[in-house]
Amino acid sequence: MSSTTVDVTQTRQSSLVPMIIIGVLFFIFGFVTWLNGPLITFVKLAFNLDDVGAFLVPMAFYLSYFFLALPSSFILKKTGMKKGMGLGLFVMAIGAVLFGQFVTMRVYPGALTGLFVIGAGLSLLQTASNPYISILGPIDSAAQRIAFMGICNKVAGALAPFVFGAVVMSNIGSFDKQIAAAGSPGEKDALLAAFAAKVHMPYMVMAGLLVVLAIWVVRSSLPEIKPSGANSERAIGHAKGSIFSFPHLWLGVLCLFVYVGVEVMAGDAIGTYGQGFGMTPEDTKHFTSYTLFAMLLGYIAGLLLIPKFVSQQKYLALSAILGVIFSIGTYLTTGYTAVGFVAALGFANAMMWPAIFPLAIKGLGALTEFGSAFLIMGIAGGAIIPVAFAHLKQSHDFQAVFLCLMVPCYLYILYYGAAGHRVGQHIKD
């Protein structure tokens, strides 16, 4: 079915089908993105890497957003949001094939290339879907709609480590012992090759499903929305100007950068954090799911409270304060209690993306897709901050490093929620 441009009133009256379609896409985002946590442990074993080498997994994945989000905005101008989403799913399928093939061949740079391509497809999807869901209804209640999308995202994310654990990481404890007991380098290499090959079929299946989804989205009844009509500059009292005349956008880009960094630290680095206390890969393989479960609780709280009882900007500020408190808790405790505080950061983080994104694109008008692309570039924080943790913890106490990275990030998010989102605007919240 061909795309039909609809006015904002009509779109709001018939938003259920678009919400379901975008919800499915957010489910895909979550499943693929939150595989990175268990993948760090997987590649560390399969390629015999140290922590720094293994943390190239999130670095390759999230850097793709930085390099490809801006080109994505130009693609979306040509294709429209719907066809752009379908193209993004197809690019992800190519990345899944590359990753599965190169891991089986045990070519680590090739595997990282596959992850980069998956991230490229996701950057196109994210650049289209986030502003789409933000302007599908009133911008001031966008956090509530994105929270629903977040539930779809994090349900998938919570499932991902369990599915990956069952299909690929089962009996990981006994595998460690087999590697240690290998009598020769050839025997050890054969064991590692067999272990690496376990991801091939799951990623080929994933690629096939992504192609089917791409066709479904393109042929669906998902309508096009014109941001210039749905997200008018008049909403913030702004006269026409370039993208650089919106300071709240640029402050939001930095806010999203540090937010994604702390989200990845809480979700993907939690296993490495637990191993700092002597826990085994078998002990930590499901830790990412605990963080995502806490995020689900946070999304439910956001759905109930925003905007009926508290505005999205105030909730963002409160979430940042919780982030500071929980980060201090990770430093003052040890063992499973400290890991529990890391997982609890999921609750604090849950409503940050849903609040930051609509606050940052508010009133961008015809520049909405362009501004969205810069925000998606901010996802590169997920590449930089966790890798900084992996490097710094080699020469410093890992708990102190975690604290010193997380607290400044949450303090900046607090500033954006309290005041930064209003900079340059002439209409009060």
Side-chain angles (χ1 to χ4, degrees):
M1 184 178 295
S2 61
S3 301
T4 304
T5 300
V6 295
D7 61 33
V8 182
T9 302
Q10 183 182 349
T11 302
R12 290 172 185 170
Q13 291 174 346
S14 58
S15 61
L16 180 60
V17 171
M19 287 278 286
I20 292 171
I21 294 172
I22 303 298
V24 171
L25 293 181
F26 270 77
F27 186 93
I28 300 301
F29 298 166
F31 194 89
V32 175
T33 299
W34 293 103
L35 278 175
N36 287 332
L39 275 180
I40 291 171
T41 301
F42 171 79
V43 299
K44 188 175 179 180
L45 292 169
F47 293 97
N48 195 26
L49 303 170
D50 60 12
D51 282 341
V52 173
F55 268 79
L56 291 176
V57 164
M59 187 171 186
F61 184 85
Y62 288 107
L63 275 181
S64 63
Y65 286 95
F66 179 80
F67 290 110
L68 297 167
L70 201 54
S72 293
S73 70
F74 293 109
I75 292 171
L76 291 172
K77 284 286 187 183
K78 296 288 187 182
T79 65
M81 290 186 175
K82 185 165 102 171
K83 290 181 180 178
M85 291 177 198
L87 178 60
L89 288 164
F90 186 73
V91 172
M92 286 176 66
I94 295 172
V97 170
L98 290 173
F99 180 79
Q101 190 61 41
F102 278 117
V103 169
T104 303
M105 296 165 60
R106 295 189 66 214
V107 179
Y108 193 46
L112 294 176
T113 300
L115 288 174
F116 187 89
V117 174
I118 291 173
L122 275 171
S123 71
L124 188 55
L125 279 169
Q126 294 267 29
T127 304
S129 61
N130 281 284
Y132 188 97
I133 203 67
S134 294
I135 62 180
L136 189 62
I139 196 78
D140 291 332
S141 61
Q144 190 177 52
R145 292 189 299 280
I146 300 178
F148 174 74
M149 297 301 124
I151 290 174
C152 298
N153 183 281
K154 296 310 181 289
V155 165
L159 289 173
F162 285 101
V163 173
F164 192 81
V167 175
V168 177
M169 302 284 280
S170 58
N171 302 317
I172 191 67
S174 61
F175 177 76
D176 259 348
K177 294 176 182 177
Q178 291 176 40
I179 292 296
S184 66
E187 184 182 349
K188 180 179 179 180
D189 204 54
L191 286 169
L192 290 172
F195 177 66
K198 292 173 74 173
V199 308
H200 188 267
M201 185 55 68
Y203 270 82
M204 296 304 111
V205 171
M206 184 191 298
L209 290 174
L210 288 168
V211 171
V212 171
L213 280 169
I215 296 170
W216 175 64
V217 168
V218 171
R219 294 175 63 86
S220 73
S221 59
L222 191 69
E224 290 286 357
I225 299 177
K226 290 183 177 180
S228 56
N231 189 30
S232 172
E233 294 178 41
R234 292 191 298 272
I236 60 171
H238 186 276
K240 286 190 174 182
S242 74
I243 195 73
F244 298 104
S245 64
F246 297 92
H248 72 287
L249 167 66
W250 298 104
L251 292 171
V253 170
L254 178 57
C255 192
L256 209 66
F257 178 93
V258 299
Y259 157 68
V260 177
V262 297
E263 182 189 61
V264 174
M265 287 286 286
D268 288 351
I270 187 172
T272 302
Y273 189 89
Q275 289 167 23
F277 295 112
M279 300 175 192
T280 67
E282 181 70 27
D283 297 327
T284 63
K285 68 181 182 181
H286 294 145
F287 279 4
T288 295
S289 292
Y290 303 152
T291 301
L292 294 171
F293 179 73
M295 291 191 84
L296 279 174
L297 295 178
Y299 281 124
I300 293 170
L303 278 171
L304 295 174
L305 296 173
I306 298 174
K308 187 174 182 180
F309 298 104
V310 63
S311 67
Q312 54 195 14
Q313 54 268 30
K314 288 181 180 177
Y315 199 96
L316 176 61
L318 291 171
S319 297
I321 292 170
L322 273 181
V324 172
I325 294 170
F326 292 154
S327 295
I328 293 172
T330 67
Y331 182 72
L332 297 179
T333 58
T334 59
Y336 282 99
T337 303
V339 169
F341 274 112
V342 176
L345 287 169
F347 183 88
N349 292 341
M351 289 303 296
M352 288 184 177
W353 179 290
I356 295 166
F357 207 95
L359 288 172
I361 67 168
K362 185 176 181 180
L364 296 190
L367 296 170
T368 298
E369 293 105 330
F370 202 33
S372 173
F374 283 108
L375 284 163
I376 297 302
M377 289 173 72
I379 293 176
I384 305 302
I385 295 174
V387 170
F389 172 69
H391 277 281
L392 291 171
K393 79 182 189 66
Q394 292 186 315
S395 54
H396 300 84
D397 174 62
F398 74 97
Q399 287 183 281
V401 170
F402 190 90
L403 179 73
C404 291
L405 287 173
M406 301 293 270
V407 169
C409 292
Y410 284 119
L411 289 176
Y412 180 78
I413 295 168
L414 173 60
Y415 158 74
Y416 190 74
H421 71 279
R422 292 194 302 268
V423 175
Q425 298 185 21
H426 306 293
I427 292 180
K428 294 183 179 180
D429 293 328

